[in-house]
Amino acid sequence: MIAVTSTKNQAIYSTQASGKRDTFQKRRFRRGVLFAVVLTLLAITCICSVIVGQYDLELDDLWPILAAGPMSATELDASVLWQIRLPRLVLGLFVGAALGLGGALMQAVFSNPLAEPSIIGVTSGAGVGAAVAIVFGTSALGSWSVPVCAFAAGIATTIVVYQLSRSDGKVQVINLVLVGIAANAIAGAAISLLVFLAPTTAREQIIFWQMGTLAGANWEQTGIVALIVTAAALVALTLGRKLDLLALGDTAASHVGLNVQQVRIAAIFLSTLLTAAAVSFAGLIAFVGLVIPHIIRTVAGPSNRVLIPASIVGGALLIGASDIFARILIPFADLPIGIFTALFGGPTFFILLRQMIRKSRVA
C-alpha cells in the first residue's frame, strides 16, 4: 500500500514538474518572439523616420549621407538628415525609453499594473515649472530655460510628495498615492491659473507643450537626455530581481533579506529622473508609461528582469512610430505627439482592463 502511494506521489510530482517546465519554455519562447518582433519594428520605424516627412529622402541616398558624417551637412538632403531628422529620432527614442522604463519601475513599486510616474506628481510638477518659465519669460538660460525649469520642478514635486508621505521614517504605498493625488490637483490648479494669466502667445505655447512634441530637437538636448536615460537604465537593470522580490509584499521581501525601503527609494528616484528628463524636452506625453509595461507583462510575464529591458524598447518604438504620424498625417503641419500616444494607449488600455476584469470573474 505504501509503495503504491509513493508511486502515485512520484507520478503527481513528475506531472507537476513537467507542467512547470512546459510553462517556462512557452514563456521563454514568447519572450524571445516579443524581443524579436519589437526590435524588428523599431529598426523599421527608425528607417522610416529618417526618410519620410514633408521632404522625403531616398533610401539609396541614406547610407552615403550617414557614412559621410555630420560634417557633410551642406547639401539639403544631408542637412535635413543630420540637423533635423536624426536629432528628433534619437531624442524620441530616448524619451520613449525613459517613459516606458519609468512606468515599469512605478508599477513594480506599487505592485499595481495600473500605476505610472504621474501618480506621484512628477509630470504635473514639470508642467508647472514649464508654465512658469513660459509665462514669466524666464530667459536666463536661453532656450534651456523651459526644460531646466520643468526638470527642476518635476524633481522637487516628487521630493515633496515623498517627504509628506513618510511616517515613522518609512513610506507606505497608500500614503504615496494619496499625497500624489493631492499634489497633482494642486499642480493642475497652478497650471490653470498660469494659463489664465498668460498672454495669448504664451498660453498657446503652454497648451502645445502639454500635448507633447519633439519639434526643435537638437543634438545638445538629445545628448543630455541620452546621458540621463542611459545611466538610469543601467542602474534599473540591476534592480530587476529585487523588484521581483518586492512583489511578494514588504514583510515577505524583508524576510528574504531585501531592504524594502532602499529598493523603493531607488526605484522611485530612477522613475522620477527618467520621467522628468523626458517631459522636460518633449512635454507631457501620456499613456506610454502605463500601457507599454502592461502590454509586455501580458505577453512575457511579470518578471522585471524581462519587463525592464522590454519596456525600454517598447517605449522607444511607440514614440518613434507616433512621431512619424505626427509629421506626415497633415501636410506642412507638426501635430502634438501626445495625440497619437493617447489614441493608441486609450483603446489599448481599455482592452487590457476588460481582459483583467474577465480573468478576475473567472477566478
Side-chain angles (χ1 to χ4, degrees), residues 24 218 312 321:
F24 175 76
N218 57 58
I312 293 173

Side-chain angles (χ1 to χ4, degrees), residues 37-269:
V37 170
V38 173
L39 288 173
T40 301
L41 290 175
L42 182 61
I44 295 172
T45 299
C46 291
I47 295 173
C48 292
S49 181
V50 295
I51 65 175
V52 175
Q54 305 300 335
Y55 178 81
D56 292 337
L57 299 175
E58 294 295 332
L59 183 60
D60 294 337
D61 298 333
L62 180 62
W63 311 119
I65 297 174
L66 289 173
M71 299 303 293
S72 65
T74 54
E75 297 182 359
L76 181 58
D77 288 0
S79 298
V80 168
L81 179 63
W82 282 104
Q83 297 178 16
I84 299 176
R85 297 276 174 82
L86 280 178
R88 181 165 180 154
L89 169 63
V90 177
L91 178 61
L93 295 181
F94 277 103
V95 165
L99 295 175
L101 176 55
L105 292 173
M106 291 308 297
Q107 290 177 11
V109 167
F110 288 95
S111 298
N112 190 327
L114 305 182
E116 62 172 339
S118 63
I119 200 171
I120 56 174
V122 58
T123 54
S124 57
V128 173
V132 168
I134 293 171
V135 172
F136 294 102
T138 304
S139 58
L141 299 175
S143 61
W144 290 85
S145 297
V146 173
V148 169
C149 288
F151 182 82
I155 297 291
T157 301
T158 303
I159 293 174
V160 171
V161 169
Y162 185 85
Q163 292 297 327
L164 292 177
S165 303
R166 298 184 65 181
S167 177
D168 298 328
K170 297 182 179 180
V171 175
Q172 300 297 326
V173 170
I174 186 62
N175 293 341
L176 272 175
V177 172
L178 294 176
V179 177
I181 291 173
N184 282 321
I186 295 171
I191 293 174
S192 298
L193 177 61
L194 290 167
V195 169
F196 179 79
L197 296 175
T200 302
T201 53
R203 185 180 299 127
E204 292 176 352
Q205 187 177 352
I206 294 172
I207 294 173
F208 192 74
W209 187 90
Q210 287 183 312
M211 292 188 289
T213 180
L214 297 174
N218 57 58
W219 285 115
E220 290 182 354
Q221 296 176 350
T222 301
I224 295 295
V225 176
L227 181 62
I228 295 174
V229 174
T230 301
L234 291 175
V235 177
L237 289 171
T238 66
L239 294 178
R241 182 176 177 276
K242 295 179 180 179
L243 292 173
D244 288 339
L245 294 175
L246 194 63
L248 301 174
D250 291 4
T251 303
S254 299
H255 286 167
V256 297
L258 183 69
N259 189 326
V260 174
Q261 292 299 316
Q262 187 179 71
V263 173
R264 183 166 288 147
I265 291 173
I268 291 174
F269 172 76

Side-chain angles (χ1 to χ4, degrees), residues 304-330:
N304 285 283
R305 284 172 286 183
V306 177
L307 187 63
I308 286 175
S311 295
I312 293 173
V313 182
L317 173 61
L318 178 56
I319 294 297
S322 298
D323 185 51
I324 294 175
F325 287 107
R327 289 189 285 112
I328 68 173
L329 192 62
I330 298 178

